[in-house]
Amino acid sequence: VSTSALRWHRKLKYGVLVAIALISGIVLSQLLQWRPVSQVVSLPLAGGDTTVNNRSSRAFSNPAPGLSPEELERHLEGDANFDAVFVTAPALVNPGLGPRFNNASCNRCHLKDGRGMPQPGQSLVRVSLAKGKPEVPGGAVPLPGIGSQVRDQAIFGDTPDAKVSLTWQEKTGQYPDGSPYRLRSPQIILAQVDAHQPIPPETLISLRVPPPVFGAGLLEAVADADLLTLADPGDRNHDGISGKPNLVWDAQHQRKALGRFGLKANTPNLLVQTAAAYVNDIGVTNPLFPDKASFPEIDQRTLETTTFYVQTLGVPARTLVNDPQVQWGEKLFIQTNCAACHIATLKTADSKIPVLANQTFHAYTDLLLHDMGEALSDHRPDFEASGSEWRTSPLWGLGLAQTVLPYSGYLHDGRARTIEEAILWHGGEAQRSKEQFMALSRGNRENLLRFLTSL
Amino acid sequence: MQDGQKGMHTVEYLLFGAENNKTLAQFTDRERQYLKALGQNLKQVSDQLLTSWKAGVKDQPGYRTVMTTAGEASNSTYPTILAAAQEIVAGMLDSISEVATEKLGTPMKEKSNQGLESRFSFNTLSDLLANVTSARNVYFGVKDGITPSSSSLSVYVEQKNPSLDRQIKTEFQQALSALEALPKPLEKSILEDQYAAKFQSAQAALISLQQTIEQKLVPLI
């Protein structure tokens, strides 16, 4: 029974294949008149040598080209780990779920290695207190008995930390040209479940949707020095844009380190990210976060291969690069100064994984924190990040978000239903860029959006 | 309720027992209630899938419309026909590689029947055959059978590279024959050393098919 859900997932895929067979003829009859892509465009290498030419719903799930046979085998082993559904111990297959948890496997939140939906079970609520003793040096102050995230599910016989419910508030606005728009934002309600586990009314609360995981190995391999060069915390160049590194706790090396993963860059590297997700999100203890009373529920090899899987996922190539609308949109993206934070190009240093070493790639991020304004603030500090500061999100694969997961949202809590809405939420350091976007003609706004969907 | 406590294979377990050995007398009233609830849930999920395919949900068009309007200006899911073609090939490839690497490969590596697809009902082999057959149906653009439709991937490949089309057809047949040659039930034969060579050749045939598609068909798209 333990892996039945995973199998059911496969059955669904089988059913879908049968139906695809029936309608594929329509698409393929058009393809018969289509020239191979190599004759039409030269694909820019979004992920350097790790770029894959795939714009399908599986675009985020491909191994990076150029892995050695041994590396590919390791990647595939990690892929199986990423899919593994944990169950209540004792069990023959994947024991160790919970006792409290958010979900039972990696890929049930990072759907198809992409994002998750803003709904209980896939998104995560981070919590902390404004005052008290932090969990780790410089970190958030945990809620007694709960920690710094709400595990909203529990195995039989245990109780969740709290019950999470979401309601959405809508507001309206309009562009200078009179075009109306609607924006929605979530209200998060935490209800006490365990009689002995009250939720303090002063709890700081932040909703997060799971981000895509592909390309993370490249981001990890950028030298600290390169990111620090991009930083301008005091805005010495007076362009209204600062860029601040987060300084976080590295549980692996037991020291402070530059943060680069997580929506507030609160995690220093992918091994720590993976180990923390196992123990916090799934409730699976591991060598980095053991339960002192018992053996870790996964071993070092599992932890490392799962990390390796994430490090070695390929990056989808851009599409429509010769489309004039896309090319014009790219100019507007630069003109409106979006590219000041979403910088197009980064380079990796050396890496233990050869295919990641010395790569030039295009993630459209500086991995730094920026003040995004009051409307996006969660009022919950995380290491050096204030409530309104968020890490610049990479934009690669942006146009594929809803190909991989229809109905998925954008921004840290998935509030934006479209890329356009995501832009309209920008404030703080990005206020001026947003205003410039809003002042564009409708046609030019569409050009800029079409550029973003080509990523 | 946890996903792992629902779905088709939970139903399978309750119906067939751990080793395809459950008798009618062993069914408790509680299990009957559970099965009924699971059946209703399964129907609900399947209906939702069908609706999202045909009519669409959450103000979105049905997936079949999304797929067949690939390349049109309003289609942000597949802004090019190429993307939809990649979807079709990637789906076919995923089905084949999953049988080779996970559904057959992992139990072979572990010498265990625990991870076999439908081990409670001893029905795994027919599942695997259906996976590969449906991948072939995608290649031929048909619901069933081995006659390619005029607008199939097979015809497209034949135009570009006739010998590759022949090779893919042959390798599909070889993979299916090698699977059919596995002694039933798989749940028992996988544990016996005398059949190891047959399992290895079935896996090899699948990997060969997968590599041909990856290395020769994908570059044509």
Side-chain angles (χ1 to χ4, degrees):
Chain A
V1 177
S2 58
T3 52
S4 68
L6 179 59
R7 292 185 183 131
W8 169 235
H9 172 65
R10 289 170 178 164
K11 291 280 176 183
L12 284 180
K13 286 205 291 193
Y14 162 66
V16 167
L17 266 186
V18 171
I20 281 190
L22 299 180
I23 62 166
S24 63
I26 301 168
V27 170
L28 289 162
S29 60
Q30 292 166 301
L31 186 69
L32 290 172
Q33 285 101 46
W34 193 255
R35 283 169 296 157
V37 68
S38 55
Q39 291 170 23
V40 182
V41 294
S42 59
L43 291 166
L45 302 174
D49 290 345
T50 73
T51 308
V52 289
N53 181 17
N54 189 326
R55 300 291 294 186
S56 77
S57 66
R58 292 166 174 81
F60 300 161
S61 303
N62 302 285
L67 296 177
S68 70
E70 294 74 28
E71 287 173 327
L72 183 59
E73 193 162 323
R74 202 163 164 222
H75 175 96
L76 293 174
E77 188 181 321
D79 189 359
N81 295 344
F82 206 76
D83 293 351
V85 178
F86 284 86
V87 295
T88 314
L92 287 169
V93 183
N94 304 331
L97 179 67
R100 296 176 181 194
F101 61 98
N102 295 103
N103 217 322
S105 73
C106 307
N107 74 347
R108 287 191 185 181
C109 289
H110 301 281
L111 300 171
K112 290 181 170 173
D113 306 294
R115 53 196 78 212
M117 302 277 270
Q119 63 188 39
Q122 285 175 31
S123 47
L124 186 73
V125 176
R126 294 216 176 280
V127 286
S128 55
L129 297 171
K131 288 180 190 148
K133 188 177 181 297
E135 255 172 335
V136 294
V141 178
L143 259 60
I146 290 181
S148 59
Q149 80 184 54
V150 174
R151 295 155 301 176
D152 55 354
Q153 299 197 64
I155 61 170
F156 183 74
D158 209 299
T159 43
D161 290 325
K163 181 175 165 18
V164 176
S165 48
L166 294 180
T167 57
W168 295 92
Q169 265 182 357
E170 292 242 10
K171 66 175 184 183
T172 57
Q174 65 177 42
Y175 288 93
D177 70 8
S179 311
Y181 60 78
R182 298 178 76 84
L183 299 175
R184 62 163 196 177
S185 57
Q187 311 298 306
I188 306 131
I189 299 147
L190 297 183
Q192 183 175 346
V193 179
D194 184 341
H196 307 291
Q197 188 63 74
I199 313 288
E202 68 274 22
T203 301
L204 308 176
I205 299 172
S206 182
L207 178 69
R208 313 288 177 85
V209 292
V213 297
F214 70 87
L218 290 171
L219 298 175
E220 188 177 40
V222 177
D224 280 6
D226 286 6
L227 299 178
L228 294 172
T229 304
L230 294 170
D232 180 15
D235 191 19
R236 280 185 306 246
N237 66 358
H238 304 293
D239 65 349
I241 293 166
S242 59
K244 180 171 121 183
N246 204 351
L247 200 59
V248 305
W249 184 248
D250 180 345
Q252 185 188 4
H253 303 102
Q254 294 289 308
R255 62 175 186 227
K256 290 246 180 169
L258 183 67
R260 60 175 85 198
F261 297 103
L263 292 152
K264 285 193 187 261
N266 68 356
T267 309
N269 62 53
L270 292 170
L271 188 86
V272 172
Q273 176 76 44
T274 307
Y278 266 122
V279 75
N280 294 324
D281 303 356
I282 314 181
V284 171
T285 59
N286 57 72
L288 194 53
F289 297 110
D291 175 349
K292 291 186 184 80
S294 58
F295 285 108
E297 286 157 333
I298 55 166
D299 59 14
Q300 185 70 18
R301 180 195 170 102
T302 304
L303 176 60
E304 285 178 6
T305 40
T306 307
T307 307
F308 186 80
Y309 170 71
V310 170
Q311 287 169 325
T312 52
L313 280 168
V315 177
R318 276 184 62 193
T319 186
L320 296 169
V321 286
N322 285 351
D323 180 324
Q325 220 189 330
V326 166
Q327 291 173 343
W328 189 245
E330 184 169 12
K331 289 197 180 96
L332 293 167
F333 182 79
I334 295 162
Q335 215 171 50
T336 51
N337 214 21
C338 305
C341 303
H342 293 286
I343 60 165
T345 305
L346 287 173
K347 289 183 177 159
T348 62
D350 214 357
S351 169
K352 279 182 203 158
I353 303 166
V355 78
L356 300 178
N358 306 308
Q359 293 297 308
T360 299
F361 65 97
H362 309 292
Y364 294 87
T365 177
D366 58 7
L367 293 177
L368 297 171
L369 299 170
H370 295 274
D371 182 348
M372 293 294 289
E374 176 59 25
L376 282 179
S377 176
D378 64 358
H379 306 105
R380 179 183 178 274
D382 205 345
F383 293 99
E384 307 279 314
S386 72
S388 61
E389 285 178 320
W390 298 93
R391 186 196 68 162
T392 310
S393 274
L395 300 183
W396 54 11
L398 191 67
L400 286 163
Q402 294 186 344
T403 305
V404 173
L405 180 65
Y407 329 116
S408 62
Y410 306 90
L411 296 174
H412 64 276
D413 54 11
R415 65 176 65 190
R417 290 159 292 197
T418 60
I419 297 172
E420 181 182 7
E421 286 184 12
I423 295 172
L424 293 170
W425 276 108
H426 280 56
E429 294 175 36
Q431 179 72 21
R432 207 156 61 184
S433 290
K434 178 184 70 178
E435 285 168 3
Q436 286 178 31
F437 167 76
M438 290 178 71
L440 296 173
S441 68
R442 180 193 285 264
N444 272 338
R445 293 201 300 269
E446 279 167 9
N447 289 337
L448 199 152
L449 290 168
R450 191 150 167 91
F451 160 69
L452 293 172
T453 56
S454 80
L455 298 178
Chain B
M1 189 177 251
Q2 289 303 303
D3 285 356
Q5 295 155 345
K6 298 184 285 191
M8 205 182 76
H9 289 285
T10 308
V11 171
E12 184 204 357
Y13 170 71
L14 288 167
L15 285 176
F16 291 89
E19 295 283 335
N20 191 25
N21 54 359
K22 195 166 176 178
T23 62
L24 202 54
Q26 289 172 313
F27 282 79
T28 66
D29 283 346
R30 191 78 179 132
E31 283 177 347
R32 286 193 184 91
Q33 289 167 355
Y34 189 14
L35 270 168
K36 195 174 166 189
L38 289 178
Q40 285 165 347
N41 176 258
L42 199 57
K43 182 177 184 314
Q44 198 181 13
V45 173
S46 308
D47 284 346
Q48 284 167 352
L49 179 65
L50 187 63
T51 304
S52 70
W53 184 275
K54 290 166 77 174
V57 295
K58 296 190 186 178
D59 301 327
Q60 305 257 346
Y63 183 73
R64 64 181 177 187
T65 308
V66 173
M67 176 63 99
T68 53
T69 57
E72 291 180 10
S74 60
N75 190 324
S76 59
T77 305
Y78 302 115
T80 63
I81 291 171
L82 175 73
Q86 285 175 340
E87 187 72 79
I88 293 163
V89 176
M92 189 172 90
L93 207 45
D94 201 31
S95 191
I96 296 163
S97 69
E98 196 171 41
V99 174
T101 317
E102 290 179 40
K103 294 185 180 187
L104 205 55
T106 305
M108 279 169 65
K109 200 157 72 179
E110 294 173 351
K111 277 207 157 200
S112 161
N113 59 12
Q114 290 291 327
L116 286 174
E117 175 106 334
S118 298
R119 70 178 168 96
F120 306 125
S121 58
F122 287 8
N123 201 40
T124 300
L125 184 55
S126 89
D127 284 0
L128 302 190
L129 282 164
N131 285 150
V132 180
T133 305
S134 58
R136 188 178 64 178
N137 290 346
V138 170
Y139 186 66
F140 287 155
V142 295
K143 191 175 175 185
D144 205 7
I146 53 167
T147 312
S149 78
S150 60
S151 53
S152 63
L153 197 51
S154 171
V155 168
Y156 173 74
V157 173
E158 193 189 14
Q159 283 181 10
K160 302 273 171 192
N161 182 346
S163 72
L164 176 60
D165 180 53
R166 281 195 299 277
Q167 186 185 353
I168 292 172
K169 284 174 178 165
T170 305
E171 290 191 4
F172 261 120
Q173 194 47 54
Q174 285 169 342
L176 287 165
S177 302
L179 280 173
E180 275 162 3
L182 295 175
K184 282 193 249 186
L186 226 55
E187 288 71 10
K188 290 194 170 158
S189 58
I190 198 162
L191 303 174
E192 295 184 37
D193 286 339
Q194 57 172 318
Y195 301 126
K198 286 193 176 222
F199 276 87
Q200 273 153 16
S201 53
Q203 192 190 28
L206 287 159
I207 289 172
S208 174
L209 173 62
Q210 178 191 338
Q211 288 177 344
T212 301
I213 295 171
E214 276 173 352
Q215 291 162 16
K216 296 184 178 172
L217 195 161
V218 168
L220 291 181
I221 301 291

